[in-house]
Amino acid sequence: MTATPVTSLSAAPLLAAARGEKPAHHPVWFMRQAGRSLPEYRKLREGVAMLDACFNPEMVCEITMQPVRRHGVDGAVLFSDIVVPLRAAGVDVDIVPGTGPVLAEPVRDKRGVEALPELDPAQVQPVLDGIGLLRGELGGTPLIGFAGAPFTLASYLVEGGPSRNHERTKALMHAEPEVWHALLARVAQITGTFLRAQVDAGVAAVQLFDSWAGALSERDYREYVLPHSTAVLQSVTGVPKIHFGVGTSELLPAMREAGADVVGVDWRLPLDVAVRRLGPDVVVQGNLDPAVLFAGWPAVEREVRRIVEEGKAAAGHIFNLGHGVLPDTDPDVLTKVVELVHSL
């Protein structure tokens, strides 16, 4: 099948909304839509480690396609993980079931930072091959590439795994700011290289995902993180850029300054309030609480309608969840949400 050029996707509702234009219908996709909520995903992944799947082009293609076929969403998000570029570059990281990313050797000093490798795009060739396969399958549905933002990746590197309080991360940030900035600069290089490689391979939009930025004050975010997220986003051109963080209601204006075209908003802040903080010319993405999907259809419908109405305060709105699809979510509810959003 002949690949569909990215330029032919310009009228796709998701991309039109990202540019602040009026789309043919209200666009919707879901973070983590390609994942554990789908029985076909669980069947395909049986016995296959997460990172092995992320480096298998055929699995990347199939898993990315599954929610597009099932739900009719307006965007396919590349099946991957935020630690993929670290693993590809040679960092000893694995995803432990029930725990998350775990580093064999945490990075906590200047020597550790200097030992971090750079990423060569050839090291993520299996991911790029998966994108090539997807371009032949997706037709008019845009493919969204993504990467973890510098702070989140740095936190995993410093803590050695997931952390509730990020105490080692914050200690390094405040005690040794030169080492901290060197670490984030190196991680930003890796992230930027990964995103640009995805764009070159054919993704139509990208999302920079900052899972842990909500642990920071605005002052610390601006001083220790914003310059590096800005460097990543400025290094990517030619496609719409989405910037999303969890628990970042107080950081939204600063996150917008990093240079994204679309600001993702989690479920903690109504979209119209977010727009007042960000400015009326902003395009927003979000922000149904993923837990509401368990509340029964009347509650889900009420919340979806509210969010779509609040999103009208922005220059553009891409409907999404306020974080990722939870594993036990009924896929049929997601399909009904897509149908409802498209009807509004």
Side-chain angles (χ1 to χ4, degrees), residues 165-293:
N165 299 309
H166 308 278
E167 55 267 40
R168 294 184 179 90
T169 304
K170 293 182 179 182
L172 179 64
M173 179 190 304
H174 288 281
E176 299 186 69
E178 290 186 4
V179 174
W180 172 260
H181 283 294
L183 171 60
L184 260 70
R186 178 61 59 88
V187 173
Q189 289 176 342
I190 292 172
T191 299
T193 297
F194 188 42
L195 286 177
R196 291 191 301 275
Q198 292 177 55
V199 172
D200 290 343
V203 303
V206 296
Q207 175 163 295
L208 188 65
F209 198 110
D210 216 344
S211 308
W212 304 126
L216 299 172
S217 68
E218 182 185 6
R219 180 178 59 189
D220 284 351
Y221 179 86
R222 286 184 177 279
E223 181 173 351
Y224 296 110
V225 177
L226 179 57
H228 306 286
S229 293
T230 300
V232 172
L233 289 168
Q234 287 184 345
S235 77
V236 178
T237 59
V239 299
K241 295 169 284 190
I242 307 165
H243 196 11
F244 173 76
V246 182
T248 53
S249 297
E250 300 304 316
L251 307 181
L252 290 176
M255 291 180 69
R256 188 187 185 193
E257 290 174 23
D261 303 290
V262 181
V263 178
V265 183
D266 78 5
W267 73 90
R268 295 170 177 85
L269 190 70
L271 288 181
D272 52 352
V273 177
V275 172
R276 287 201 293 272
R277 296 183 181 185
L278 291 163
D281 61 335
V282 71
V283 178
V284 294
Q285 177 178 279
N287 69 342
L288 179 67
D289 186 339
V292 170
L293 295 169

Side-chain angles (χ1 to χ4, degrees), residues 34-89:
R36 290 172 292 173
S37 66
L38 301 182
E40 55 266 42
Y41 168 84
R42 294 194 296 270
K43 182 178 180 181
L44 184 64
R45 273 284 318 281
E46 190 173 346
V48 180
M50 176 65 179
L51 287 176
D52 289 343
C54 291
F55 285 93
N56 182 314
E58 289 74 22
M59 291 190 76
V60 167
C61 179
E62 171 59 22
I63 293 170
T64 302
M65 288 297 304
Q66 287 174 350
V68 179
R69 298 190 198 107
R70 180 185 274 265
H71 304 311
V73 285
D74 295 289
V77 61
L78 182 69
F79 173 70
S80 188
D81 188 88
I82 61 173
V83 300
V84 161
L86 296 179
R87 175 71 168 264

Side-chain angles (χ1 to χ4, degrees), residues 148-161:
F151 176 78
T152 290
L153 290 181
S155 179
Y156 279 119
L157 288 168
V158 174
E159 301 290 342

